Amino acid sequence: MISINTAVIDLKRLELMAGGNSPIHALDARAKVLVTFVFIVAVVSYGRYELARLIPFCIFPAVIIALADLPALFLARKIALICPFIAMIGFFNPVFDQTELFRLGHVVITGGWISLVSLIIRSLLTVGAAFILIGTTGFAALCQALERLGIPQLFTVQLLFLYRYIFVLADETCRASRARELRSCDKKGLGVVSFSSLVGHLLLRTWQQAVRIHSAMLARGFVGQFHARRQSRFGVAEFCFVLGWSSLFMTLRLFDISGMIGKMVTGIFP
Amino acid sequence: MSHHIVEVIHLQHIYPDGTIAIRDVSFRITHGESVAIIGANGAGKSTLLQHLNGCLEATSGQVRIGDTLLSKGTLPDIRRTVGMVFQNPDDQLFMPTVFDDVAFGPLNLGLVGTEVEKRVMDALIQVGAAHLRAKPPYHLSGGEKKRVAIATVLAMTPDILVLDEPVSGLDPFARRQIMTILQEFNHTKIFTTHDLNMVLELCQRTIILHEGEIMADGPTGDIFQNDVLLAACHLEKPFALQLCPACTGAAGAIKP
Ligand SMILES: Nc1ncnc2c1ncn2[C@@H]1O[C@H](COP(=O)(O)OP(=O)(O)OP(=O)(O)O)[C@@H](O)[C@H]1O
Ligand SMILES: [Mg+2]
């Protein structure tokens, strides 16, 4: 249960970062959503054996983290946490895909290994971009931006409630499992029986808590609309931000920049 | 100012599991009154309060705020008028920071920019929690949460203030602070509490609730003199009204 707790605390920390005061934080959320979207599409659209051409995309997270003054190490650690899951998904690639791509000395590098590594890099890039988006925008502003970009309100409000519900659920889980641990006196808490009743209990409790929070929101004039504290509009800065990054991603996607640089270097030093 | 009248007429609430929390309650609270609702644990105080802004729907009976009958259509208006502080502050605080949380209400009222900021800071200063504004609510102590929860409602400048146990779990200084806020709020206020000394200080009128029914409704002074009634409702006379043992014969027995 500790792990759930830390995961949620991390999520909360990410949310707190969104309160920062950098130029990136000040941008209209819609601009950041659009750029992140283009970034993810560009990264995901590469072929399965692509490696070299993905590397230049690291520049986006690196620049934003630097400009927005986000804790890079913390983010890196959080993003690294997903590596095992990705590896699990791509686990069988090297087994099934035995096509020989090239040799390093006597070692045969098969397509399977390359596609596994490519998958990991692409996942790290996309998840990193999503984290950075939340860390510089905040979830409420993010949902508001989605709404202003034309996603139906019904959907965005659901998303927000789901997000809040995660916190409620995690809090209640921690409380309940602590209560159980403290009273089970090292006997593993009476095993499955008490555990299953704990889970049932939890669902009811979180449900009730969520209802109470909802009524507290209604009591404070909530009518299905979230208002972000930051008032922003889509100005020149936003326009340049979107145009600049998108054209960079397009260029990287359409032309083999890293290949060209490679050729240039090998051309100079034959 | 008929707007600040709270009227409850033959209210009954039965929870889905069959518990009858409120049997038949009627009262009328007029503008500027300060009323305490007291009673034992489980008497139905929280349930009653939650009807005043429509958080719970009555099984039967009516609630009137000013001239408007509480119903689905009038709910948004009524919620603007009645500010409600819940018993458990965890139910009330849900935004990433204290500031955001207090700003939630004013933003919903349609305020923007500096006006919101001013309201939030005013409310936080009033409850002595301005230094907590950048903290996330889940990292606060119980009493701090309580103060912020009160600030979230004050920031909406309601006409009627309803508080469920506003001073439970507060230290003496914070309790005094909240009592001062309540004293300065000169519109209608209704609160429940187990702190009878506070009732004595703040309220001219007291309603005793017992097992979902009103046992007494009248001037605070009279009610606290009725020992039989208090005992029947699991209550105790406040210290301020108890005779000082040192001045009565009881003290004589202790003296050497
Ligand atoms: N959601 C619920 N479902 C069923 N019964 C409930 C529910 N909430 C409260 N009750 C019951 O309704 C009665 C009144 O509860 P209420 O919370 O109003 O008491 P209270 O006077 O506020 O007590 P306290 O002083 O402990 O806060 C209690 O008997 C309680 O068990
Ligand atoms: Mg209660």
Side-chain angles (χ1 to χ4, degrees):
Chain A
M1 291 309 158
I2 301 302
S3 59
I4 297 181
N5 200 10
T6 40
V8 168
I9 287 173
D10 290 341
L11 207 58
K12 287 170 176 170
R13 176 148 178 220
L14 205 59
E15 185 80 9
L16 278 183
M17 285 176 206
N21 259 330
S22 75
I24 300 292
H25 284 92
L27 284 172
D28 188 291
R30 280 171 292 177
K32 288 177 269 187
V33 171
L34 284 176
V35 167
T36 308
F37 180 71
V38 176
F39 176 81
I40 290 176
V41 168
V43 168
V44 169
S45 67
Y46 275 110
R48 57 188 307 211
Y49 295 138
E50 198 53 66
L51 269 188
R53 291 179 60 181
L54 286 172
I55 305 301
F57 279 94
C58 295
I59 194 169
F60 173 64
V63 168
I64 302 288
I65 286 178
L67 284 181
D69 204 16
L70 298 180
L73 214 64
F74 168 79
L75 282 177
R77 248 182 291 139
K78 289 310 130 196
I79 296 169
L81 276 186
I82 60 157
C83 275
F85 295 100
I86 314 295
M88 229 142 55
I89 296 169
F91 185 68
F92 289 108
N93 285 12
V95 180
F96 292 129
D97 189 349
Q98 297 281 7
T99 39
E100 182 183 329
L101 282 191
F102 56 89
R103 285 166 185 267
L104 282 176
H106 290 292
V107 185
V108 177
I109 303 293
T110 63
W113 283 108
I114 297 294
S115 65
L116 176 61
V117 175
S118 171
L119 182 70
I120 290 179
I121 292 182
R122 270 181 289 172
S123 313
L124 293 184
L125 282 175
T126 46
V127 171
F131 277 14
I132 288 169
L133 180 63
I134 297 180
T136 56
T137 313
F139 209 81
L142 187 66
C143 287
Q144 202 187 29
L146 287 176
E147 199 180 304
R148 286 166 85 182
L149 284 170
I151 310 256
Q153 195 186 60
L154 192 70
F155 185 76
T156 55
V157 170
Q158 287 296 328
L159 201 63
L160 232 151
F161 275 127
L162 190 69
Y163 183 71
R164 287 279 163 246
Y165 186 69
I166 295 175
F167 291 104
V168 175
L169 184 64
D171 278 351
E172 286 289 329
T173 311
C174 289
R175 256 178 255 159
S177 73
R178 185 177 58 196
R180 176 169 165 273
E181 263 163 38
L182 286 178
R183 281 185 285 162
S184 59
C185 307
D186 276 348
K187 295 219 186 68
K188 293 270 173 268
L190 301 177
V192 189
V193 182
S194 84
F195 191 75
S196 56
S197 83
L198 180 110
V199 171
H201 206 96
L202 257 180
L203 283 178
L204 289 176
R205 258 168 63 168
T206 51
W207 175 252
Q208 278 190 338
Q209 169 103 22
V211 168
R212 283 198 302 265
I213 290 179
H214 185 230
S215 55
M217 292 169 79
L218 291 177
R220 282 199 271 154
F222 178 74
V223 281
Q225 239 169 354
F226 274 91
H227 305 270
R229 211 194 330 146
R230 240 183 266 276
Q231 287 290 314
S232 59
R233 45 182 214 93
F234 207 92
V236 181
E238 281 75 15
F239 191 72
C240 297
F241 183 77
V242 173
L243 202 70
W245 282 112
S246 307
S247 47
L248 176 68
F249 300 150
M250 291 297 175
T251 322
L252 287 177
R253 179 69 190 87
L254 297 176
F255 306 102
D256 184 2
I257 304 287
S258 43
M260 284 197 266
I261 295 176
K263 277 208 193 79
M264 251 164 58
V265 174
T266 45
I268 295 167
F269 309 104
Chain B
M1 283 259 247
S2 62
H3 207 56
H4 302 171
I5 290 176
V6 177
E7 195 171 12
V8 171
I9 307 151
H10 292 302
L11 187 78
Q12 186 189 40
H13 188 88
I14 304 176
Y15 277 108
D17 68 349
T19 312
I20 306 174
I22 303 281
R23 270 172 217 283
D24 179 14
V25 167
S26 304
F27 57 78
R28 183 184 156 91
I29 294 172
T30 52
H31 173 69
E33 261 190 297
S34 168
V35 180
I37 297 177
I38 59 175
N41 290 136
K45 304 180 297 290
S46 299
T47 310
L48 176 61
L49 287 198
Q50 284 180 56
H51 281 88
L52 299 185
N53 73 342
C55 280
L56 284 178
E57 216 172 315
T59 308
S60 69
Q62 291 180 345
V63 176
R64 269 174 190 283
I65 306 293
D67 304 322
T68 27
L69 186 68
L70 193 147
S71 69
K72 275 239 156 57
T74 57
L75 216 49
D77 265 343
I78 285 191
R79 287 187 168 145
R80 198 157 297 191
T81 319
V82 182
M84 169 109 186
V85 179
F86 290 79
Q87 182 167 6
N88 181 357
D90 279 322
D91 295 346
Q92 197 149 358
L93 306 174
F94 48 83
M95 295 296 276
T97 66
V98 166
F99 189 103
D100 283 327
D101 221 308
V102 181
F104 182 82
L107 284 171
N108 279 331
L109 290 180
L111 301 176
V112 285
T114 50
E115 178 67 10
V116 173
E117 241 154 76
K118 187 176 155 0
R119 283 248 194 142
V120 172
M121 286 320 291
D122 283 352
L124 283 176
I125 288 169
Q126 255 188 312
V127 298
H131 60 292
L132 302 171
R133 64 182 172 280
K135 274 196 125 184
Y138 45 85
H139 284 165
L140 302 181
S141 80
E144 289 169 341
K145 277 185 198 169
K146 198 98 206 185
R147 294 194 227 176
V148 174
I150 293 174
T152 63
V153 171
L154 289 180
M156 296 183 70
T157 57
D159 295 330
I160 297 167
L161 201 52
V162 178
L163 308 100
D164 200 348
E165 307 204 0
V167 295
S168 68
L170 294 185
D171 60 39
F173 181 78
R175 167 178 175 269
R176 185 50 63 184
Q177 229 172 1
I178 300 299
M179 282 169 64
T180 313
I181 294 171
L182 291 182
Q183 230 147 19
E184 281 166 4
F185 185 86
N186 43 25
H187 303 306
T188 311
K189 52 187 174 275
I190 304 167
F191 59 87
T192 73
T193 185
H194 295 296
D195 182 342
L196 299 189
N197 292 301
M198 169 173 154
V199 174
L200 202 58
E201 242 177 272
L202 289 185
C203 302
Q204 302 84 43
R205 179 175 166 194
T206 300
I207 295 175
I208 298 188
L209 211 59
H210 186 63
E211 293 176 354
E213 277 173 315
I214 292 186
M215 287 293 273
D217 178 353
T220 306
D222 295 358
I223 285 183
F224 283 160
Q225 289 304 343
N226 190 340
D227 290 321
V228 182
L229 175 71
L230 291 180
C233 300
H234 302 207
L235 297 168
E236 216 172 61
K237 202 184 245 183
F239 283 126
L241 288 183
Q242 286 179 17
L243 291 176
C244 170
C247 316
T248 58
I254 304 167
K255 273 187 191 150

